[in-house]
Amino acid sequence: MFGNIVQRSVAQAFSTVEDYRKRYLCDWETNWEQWRNYFRMFFAPSLVKRLMLPPAQVSLEMRDLAKSLDLPLEVYEVTTQDGYILEVHRLVGKGSPVLLMHGMMVNSLSWLSSGEESLGYQLHKAGFDVWLGNVRGGRYGIKHTSLSTNDPEFWRYTFHEIGTQDIPAILEKIVRETGCSSVDCIGHSMGATALLIANSTSKRAQARIGQTVLLAPVALTSENQIGLPSNKHVKRIQQELANWLGVHYLLLQIPGMDKIKKRPLFPIISDTIINQFVGDCGSTLTENLSVELVSNSSIYTILHFMQIISEKKFRPFDWNQKPINEIKEYDLSKITCKTTLFFAKSDLLAPPCVESAYQKVLPALIDSRVVEMTHIGFLWGGDANILVYQPIIQTLSGKNE
């Protein structure tokens, strides 16, 4: 009798599965409504909103970190032309100004997160007037003249706006405060990408940028690079998730995570996880600091990166508001300032194979290096000071010319 019950249950289950397969798992490319219903079944907007991490739920401030390193800190507010209010940190020095732009989902703390081994500390030690930039949506960029972070319009941006709005506004603030006519710039990952955009599209930025040093820029691609499938339907699903579900920014919060983060072991565990991605040379990340580095970011920044890698074209994000032929690629041949590139040997986001693509289009490229580290090793790699930071200081000081 028990065997008959099992057989009937299995037969019923297979019948249900087959029925579901026929009804829902049809050709998704031609049955978009079926896929929309599928996503709606699993992702209720009310649930997604409850999982959103409120911006800036952290404790350690830049002033605490600077004080622990005995660094003179000044804090400025910069308002962009489109209303975002950014907090910019300055390690006051007597030398020429240099601006550091961080990558995605971190903040200006990352430039001091390795203590005395950090790039920010090393530049200040070398005599530079160090400015640590922040971008819209991050921990130090959640204010706006008219928009709230609860407003989806607040998060409607990518690193295009960071390059055309945030960086020019920060540069103008630095010029006003220092009296210097130009500012050398260093960017890592998305920060490097945004600097390329600023320097190729914004006349305001072009007039202020001196030398640039780009660490693992994610912009140009190579045929040898691992890519993403180019499919308009995949992109449509991505945008539908962002627009319909109301997921306009990251991070999503795991229920109870705020309590877990307060446990003594959590920072140690998070540091350990990050260290696994730094590389064989070890990590210089200051203990228990990784929890403080993470910032929210617009989900469209991720979609923009996915678009670039998928299409293998470095162009503005397609908001589906213009015919695709009207959206031009960024013209990097317009960048006339001296440029230095660093790539990590073990990096999937900006692999060494793309180096030649930059060499072909940057007219004032003075140096390009591939170093033995990973993508995040530029911040926390054990050899970063020797392989990257000291060469940067020599370059900006003019000692390698």
Side-chain angles (χ1 to χ4, degrees), residues 18 62 120 167 203 223 242 261 296 336 349 353 369-370 395:
E18 179 65 18
M62 173 58 80
I167 290 178
K203 293 182 179 180
E223 293 299 326
K261 286 171 65 176
N296 287 293
T336 58
L349 296 176
C353 63
R369 307 185 187 192
V370 177
T395 296

Side-chain angles (χ1 to χ4, degrees), residues 48-58 104-107 137-139 155 157 246-254 257 261 266 290-299 301-302:
V48 172
K49 289 180 180 178
R50 286 199 297 271
L51 295 179
M52 297 301 288
L53 178 65
Q57 286 191 346
V58 284
M104 189 171 71
M105 296 181 70
V106 292
N107 55 69
R139 174 178 176 179
W155 302 100
Y157 67 85
V247 183
H248 299 288
Y249 66 90
L250 299 174
L251 295 164
L252 291 178
Q253 177 172 282
I254 300 173
M257 180 57 72
K261 286 171 65 176
F266 181 78
S290 61
V291 178
E292 311 292 343
L293 300 177
V294 180
S295 284
N296 287 293
S297 180
S298 165
I299 195 171
T301 58
I302 296 177

Side-chain angles (χ1 to χ4, degrees), residues 187-190 192-193 214-218 342-344 347 350 358 375 378:
H188 173 240
S189 191
M190 185 188 73
T193 307
L214 308 178
L215 311 177
V218 183
F342 283 85
F343 296 95
D347 189 349
Y358 290 93
H375 190 77
F378 284 110

Side-chain angles (χ1 to χ4, degrees), residues 199-201 206 331-337 361 363:
N199 223 339
S200 61
T201 63
Q206 291 169 346
D331 186 0
L332 302 190
S333 67
K334 293 181 178 180
I335 300 177
T336 58
C337 67
V361 298

Side-chain angles (χ1 to χ4, degrees), residues 268-288:
I268 299 175
I269 294 172
S270 62
D271 287 350
T272 301
I273 294 174
I274 286 181
N275 291 345
Q276 297 303 310
F277 295 95
V278 172
D280 297 334
C281 60
S283 171
T284 57
L285 178 65
T286 302
E287 186 177 354
N288 297 347

Side-chain angles (χ1 to χ4, degrees), residues 102-326:
H102 61 75
M104 189 171 71
M105 296 181 70
V106 292
N107 55 69
S108 58
L109 288 171
S110 62
W111 297 113
L112 294 178
S113 56
S114 292
E116 294 184 1
E117 291 291 306
S118 303
L119 178 55
Y121 184 93
Q122 290 295 318
L123 285 166
H124 184 266
K125 179 182 176 182
F128 289 93
D129 186 18
V130 183
W131 293 73
L132 309 177
N134 284 290
V135 303
R136 60 187 63 196
R139 174 178 176 179
Y140 295 109
I142 59 173
K143 294 192 291 184
H144 192 279
T145 55
S146 61
L147 298 174
S148 162
T149 54
N150 293 324
D151 190 333
E153 195 64 27
F154 179 95
W155 302 100
R156 188 176 173 79
Y157 67 85
T158 73
F159 43 82
H160 174 82
E161 285 71 27
I162 294 173
T164 58
Q165 295 284 339
D166 295 3
I167 290 178
I170 294 173
L171 288 170
E172 289 178 355
K173 180 66 173 181
I174 296 174
V175 169
R176 286 196 302 269
E177 292 295 329
T178 64
C180 297
S181 59
S182 64
V183 181
D184 293 334
C185 297
I186 302 171
H188 173 240
S189 191
M190 185 188 73
T193 307
L195 280 171
L196 285 171
I197 294 172
N199 223 339
S200 61
T201 63
S202 171
K203 293 182 179 180
R204 294 167 59 208
Q206 291 169 346
R208 304 302 187 189
I209 294 178
Q211 292 193 63
T212 58
V213 179
L214 308 178
L215 311 177
V218 183
L220 302 185
T221 57
S222 166
E223 293 299 326
N224 298 323
Q225 183 177 359
I226 298 176
L228 295 171
S230 180
N231 192 307
K232 63 180 180 181
H233 298 290
V234 173
K235 185 174 182 181
R236 190 176 180 183
I237 288 177
Q238 295 165 353
Q239 293 185 345
E240 194 70 15
L241 283 171
N243 296 332
W244 182 81
L245 293 176
V247 183
H248 299 288
Y249 66 90
L250 299 174
L251 295 164
L252 291 178
Q253 177 172 282
I254 300 173
M257 180 57 72
D258 55 335
K259 296 181 179 179
I260 296 175
K261 286 171 65 176
K262 296 177 182 178
R263 302 294 182 184
L265 284 179
F266 181 78
I268 299 175
I269 294 172
S270 62
D271 287 350
T272 301
I273 294 174
I274 286 181
N275 291 345
Q276 297 303 310
F277 295 95
V278 172
D280 297 334
C281 60
S283 171
T284 57
L285 178 65
T286 302
E287 186 177 354
N288 297 347
L289 187 57
S290 61
V291 178
E292 311 292 343
L293 300 177
V294 180
S295 284
N296 287 293
S297 180
S298 165
I299 195 171
Y300 301 107
T301 58
I302 296 177
L303 300 184
H304 195 177
F305 276 126
M306 293 181 71
Q307 172 187 293
I308 290 172
I309 297 173
S310 172
E311 297 180 350
K312 296 188 181 300
K313 291 182 179 180
F314 187 35
R315 69 180 184 88
F317 185 63
D318 181 6
W319 295 98
N320 289 330
Q321 294 178 337
K322 296 181 180 180
I324 198 167
N325 58 4
E326 289 186 14

